[in-house]
Amino acid sequence: MEGALTARDRVGIQDFVLLEETNEAAFISNLKKRYSKDLIYTYIGTLLVSVNPYKELDIYNKKQMDTYMGVNFFELPPHIYALADNAYHTMLTEFNNHFILISGESGAGKTEASKKILQFYSVSCPSTTLMSTVRDKMLMSNPVLEAFGNAKTLKNNNSSRFGKYMDIQFDSQGDAVGGHILNYLLEKSRVVHQNHGERNFHIFYQLVEGASDSLLQQLGLERDCQHYNYLTQVCMVWFLIFSKKTLGFQSKNNKNNYNKNKTFFDTQQRQKFLDFPQQLLGVDAHSLQEELTFRKIEAKQEQVHTHLNHAIYGRDALAKAIYGQTFTWLVHRINDSTENKDASKKTVIGLLDIYGFEVFYVNSFEQFCINYCNEKLQQLFIQLTLKAEQDEYEAEGIEWEPVQFFNNKIICDLVEEKHRGIISLLDEECLRPGDVTDLTFLERLEEKMGNHPHFRGDFRLLHYAGEVTYCVVGNNPILFLFLISHLDQLQVIMTFMLYLQVATQFKSSLLKLTEMLMAKQAWYIRCLKSNESKQPGQFDEALIRHQVKYLGLMEHLRVRRAGFAYRRKYEDFLKSSCCG
Ligand SMILES: Nc1ncnc2c1ncn2[C@@H]1O[C@H](COP(=O)(O)OP(=O)(O)OP(=O)(O)O)[C@@H](O)[C@H]1O
């Protein structure tokens, strides 16, 4: 197959394992050399390194797909299709489950990579009419999910603001027969607030720009984003656009459904805005108005005007809740239409495309969860590659010079350890009687974590990928001062309970995810961001070096070079040798 290589393909070294020198400078120089010729893929053994080209490359066409189908991994120049094809064929021969872990920071190219893989399977797997329908649905679900779950951030014009794990189900013939999506932690706060230079979820702008006049009229919307606070931070109505069926808001007087969600309308706009809930959510306008602008003092059976800030807070809470439910509903609908209910045994290839590590000027509770998730995935990578392989050599008494690596378990523990980690501390603080504020939480953090090498004062964490300061005082979620100063006691407790639930639920859903992944055979794509300004042809060496470092690529290379080139699980080897 050497003959299939063009002169261009020969630029640099295609597999870092074959580099003569294994220092960082040689590694980066090889990446740069290849990147300058639009060769964005390079291997470290079977791990694929991908550098974002920020331009369309003619390497994803049908001809390329055909070239890579059924060909041995190392026979052709590195490509994402080679990895996808190998995972698929290994699954078929070993009849086991696989997953492809796509990681990298925000804007590095993870979502694009997962789309390329899906497209490859949609062309390369055998198909019948029924299968094609399932496949079409899976492919078509992507733009819909992106519309509702992606947004422009400073780092990426199309950033995934939720985590997605998609299982593609195959039958024993290798036909793609179904799919299932698990979604994680949608960044709901974006619905009501965006950092400077960022936008709300795409769907809002798409609707205003693209909906027919009659649909806009039906929804009571105008074709101008400037009219909407949640898109421009001036006025609001957005959250009312979804149908009551979607949202699960039902009867007129079912106060429980929206009891704790209050909204504020100024006098002139009030009636206009209150018509929308009536029309779209099926809630009575008057009751909603009461709920939004009055509160009852239970002891005295009095009604008093809600403070403006309470009402705004309630309005935003309602908007976030509605959007969150809509998104969950959407994922369920997609799953209903793509899931294969036939009970015969299937194997799966899972694609994990989860938000990348991020640092913003203001980092909220959601960034905390996102970065914690990235820590967990890095830990999984370390466990499955650097640690497991070295442990195995040691256990089997194979001569081996240990490769040192930074094990981020210490950071995962800092966040999640039972009774001692930050999440436990948050839980405790939420449940503690007495005055609980941002400051008490910060004090507790400093008291308990002050000496930890990855904790700095003021809720600054030294993550594996960099230092992040989380906002505890201001208008973001873990905000105890904000809550105390603006909400009554009951709401404070309710909101604490909410964060308590979110953090703890997120922790357990990540635990489930990692357990699920550990039970599958892993393939890795490490995406690197080539520059901060999203420009084609720019290779920012310092930025790349930083990513190479924190992703542990040099350590992975050292283990790959020193370790056995071909490694297989004993059981799989036995199965294929005896029964093959
Ligand atoms: N293989 C590629 N070919 C061409 N352009 C690409 C490729 N990969 C990424 N890009 C460009 O980079 C942008 C960001 O990529 P992508 O959305 O996949 O990043 P991400 O890692 O998923 O980020 P986030 O974590 O914020 O969701 C894309 O919108 C696209 O313009």
Side-chain angles (χ1 to χ4, degrees), residues 399-445:
E399 198 180 325
W400 178 259
E401 193 161 321
V403 173
Q404 298 304 325
F405 59 91
F406 170 66
N407 191 344
N408 74 331
K409 184 171 183 305
I410 184 171
I411 309 172
C412 293
D413 288 347
L414 171 67
V415 175
E416 67 183 11
E417 209 178 358
K418 247 188 181 168
H419 308 304
R420 295 168 55 175
I422 292 172
I423 293 180
S424 285
L425 207 66
L426 178 61
D427 285 3
E428 277 173 29
E429 200 66 355
C430 291
L431 294 173
R432 188 169 64 79
D435 281 350
V436 182
T437 69
D438 270 12
L439 290 181
T440 63
F441 176 58
L442 263 185
E443 276 165 19
R444 292 267 291 152
L445 268 182

Side-chain angles (χ1 to χ4, degrees), residues 40-41 50-57 59-60 103-113 115-116 150-151 153 155-162 353-358 527:
I40 61 166
Y41 297 124
S50 163
V51 188
N52 190 341
Y54 283 116
K55 65 177 172 189
E56 292 305 320
L57 300 176
I59 57 170
Y60 303 110
S103 47
E105 66 187 59
S106 181
K110 300 179 297 295
T111 307
E112 290 300 316
K115 285 194 275 194
K116 307 282 185 251
N150 288 28
T153 65
K155 294 188 175 287
N156 182 0
N157 294 341
N158 184 32
S159 183
S160 308
R161 309 314 298 160
F162 68 108
D353 166 22
I354 226 150
Y355 19 51
F357 177 81
E358 49 194 40
C527 298

Side-chain angles (χ1 to χ4, degrees), residues 472-514:
V472 227
V473 183
N475 59 352
N476 280 295
I478 309 183
L479 311 178
F480 299 89
L481 275 184
F482 173 84
L483 299 172
I484 292 295
S485 57
H486 295 304
L487 300 178
D488 60 36
Q489 200 57 35
L490 180 65
Q491 278 174 305
V492 170
I493 292 165
M494 296 262 324
T495 316
F496 281 179
M497 294 303 283
L498 192 71
Y499 292 122
L500 182 150
Q501 277 173 11
V502 173
T504 308
Q505 274 173 10
F506 189 61
K507 180 176 138 184
S508 54
S509 64
L510 280 187
L511 189 72
K512 270 193 208 132
L513 175 70
T514 41

Side-chain angles (χ1 to χ4, degrees), residues 257-515:
N257 276 339
Y258 53 88
N259 206 16
K260 296 297 163 210
N261 300 310
K262 303 176 193 302
T263 214
F264 172 78
F265 307 115
D266 75 34
T267 324
Q268 286 170 346
Q269 292 169 324
R270 183 179 299 160
Q271 198 47 53
K272 184 178 166 201
F273 288 146
L274 286 172
D275 285 344
F276 288 112
Q278 181 140 358
Q279 186 189 337
L280 295 171
L281 304 180
V283 294
D284 174 61
H286 180 70
S287 314
L288 182 59
Q289 183 188 342
E290 294 240 310
E291 287 293 331
L292 299 170
T293 53
F294 285 93
R295 70 192 166 104
K296 270 202 182 104
I297 299 179
E298 293 294 339
K300 298 182 190 159
Q301 288 300 302
E302 272 176 30
Q303 285 225 336
V304 294
H305 265 292
T306 299
H307 188 284
L308 172 63
N309 284 329
H310 285 201
I312 289 175
Y313 181 86
R315 174 200 74 189
D316 290 349
L318 176 62
K320 288 191 279 185
I322 289 177
Y323 199 78
Q325 285 199 42
T326 306
F327 193 76
T328 307
W329 173 85
L330 190 67
V331 172
H332 287 163
R333 284 299 300 267
I334 292 171
N335 282 340
D336 279 348
S337 70
T338 55
E339 205 153 11
N340 187 288
K341 311 229 164 46
D342 166 11
S344 63
K345 181 150 170 41
K346 311 209 179 36
T347 51
V348 303
I349 294 181
L351 282 181
L352 186 65
D353 166 22
I354 226 150
Y355 19 51
F357 177 81
E358 49 194 40
V359 193
F360 291 117
Y361 183 64
V362 177
N363 299 288
S364 69
F365 175 73
E366 276 151 333
Q367 264 72 50
F368 172 72
C369 290
I370 288 172
N371 292 340
Y372 163 48
C373 172
N374 276 275
E375 292 286 358
K376 289 293 281 180
L377 294 179
Q378 175 68 3
Q379 177 59 199
L380 184 80
F381 175 75
I382 287 172
Q383 286 285 340
L384 292 178
T385 58
L386 301 174
K387 192 165 182 317
E389 184 164 347
Q390 299 201 80
D391 287 353
E392 198 176 336
Y393 292 149
E394 198 183 326
E396 298 207 359
I398 293 168
E399 198 180 325
W400 178 259
E401 193 161 321
V403 173
Q404 298 304 325
F405 59 91
F406 170 66
N407 191 344
N408 74 331
K409 184 171 183 305
I410 184 171
I411 309 172
C412 293
D413 288 347
L414 171 67
V415 175
E416 67 183 11
E417 209 178 358
K418 247 188 181 168
H419 308 304
R420 295 168 55 175
I422 292 172
I423 293 180
S424 285
L425 207 66
L426 178 61
D427 285 3
E428 277 173 29
E429 200 66 355
C430 291
L431 294 173
R432 188 169 64 79
D435 281 350
V436 182
T437 69
D438 270 12
L439 290 181
T440 63
F441 176 58
L442 263 185
E443 276 165 19
R444 292 267 291 152
L445 268 182
E446 291 196 9
E447 182 191 313
K448 293 268 176 179
M449 318 287 176
N451 294 326
H452 195 286
H454 288 266
F455 181 85
R456 307 275 188 272
D458 288 344
F459 206 170
R460 260 186 305 149
L461 294 192
L462 198 54
H463 283 286
Y464 79 104
E467 193 172 294
V468 185
T469 304
Y470 295 102
C471 178
V472 227
V473 183
N475 59 352
N476 280 295
I478 309 183
L479 311 178
F480 299 89
L481 275 184
F482 173 84
L483 299 172
I484 292 295
S485 57
H486 295 304
L487 300 178
D488 60 36
Q489 200 57 35
L490 180 65
Q491 278 174 305
V492 170
I493 292 165
M494 296 262 324
T495 316
F496 281 179
M497 294 303 283
L498 192 71
Y499 292 122
L500 182 150
Q501 277 173 11
V502 173
T504 308
Q505 274 173 10
F506 189 61
K507 180 176 138 184
S508 54
S509 64
L510 280 187
L511 189 72
K512 270 193 208 132
L513 175 70
T514 41
E515 278 170 7

Side-chain angles (χ1 to χ4, degrees), residues 492-551:
V492 170
I493 292 165
M494 296 262 324
T495 316
F496 281 179
M497 294 303 283
L498 192 71
Y499 292 122
L500 182 150
Q501 277 173 11
V502 173
T504 308
Q505 274 173 10
F506 189 61
K507 180 176 138 184
S508 54
S509 64
L510 280 187
L511 189 72
K512 270 193 208 132
L513 175 70
T514 41
E515 278 170 7
M516 192 169 67
L517 296 178
M518 291 288 252
K520 298 184 167 86
Q521 188 174 324
W523 300 79
Y524 305 99
I525 302 176
R526 303 298 245 177
C527 298
L528 305 181
K529 199 170 176 172
S530 49
N531 61 81
E532 290 287 10
S533 44
K534 308 167 194 140
Q535 292 302 313
Q538 278 189 22
F539 187 94
D540 179 337
E541 276 193 44
L543 182 69
I544 296 271
R545 187 172 303 115
H546 178 63
Q547 295 167 85
V548 166
K549 242 191 198 108
Y550 77 66
L551 287 172

Side-chain angles (χ1 to χ4, degrees), residues 55-73:
K55 65 177 172 189
E56 292 305 320
L57 300 176
D58 190 23
I59 57 170
Y60 303 110
N61 48 41
K62 170 81 170 60
K63 192 164 159 243
Q64 285 276 326
M65 292 184 185
D66 291 340
T67 309
Y68 278 90
M69 273 179 221
V71 176
N72 191 291
F73 195 66

Side-chain angles (χ1 to χ4, degrees), residues 99-147:
F99 77 94
I100 301 175
L101 175 60
I102 309 170
S103 47
E105 66 187 59
S106 181
K110 300 179 297 295
T111 307
E112 290 300 316
S114 80
K115 285 194 275 194
K116 307 282 185 251
I117 294 172
L118 262 185
Q119 282 156 1
F120 178 75
Y121 288 143
S122 79
V123 171
S124 66
C125 305
S127 106
T128 63
T129 317
L130 175 73
M131 310 308 165
S132 303
T133 317
V134 170
R135 243 177 266 174
D136 287 349
K137 282 183 187 165
M138 281 160 65
L139 279 176
M140 290 309 294
S141 70
N142 248 335
V144 180
L145 277 177
E146 281 193 13

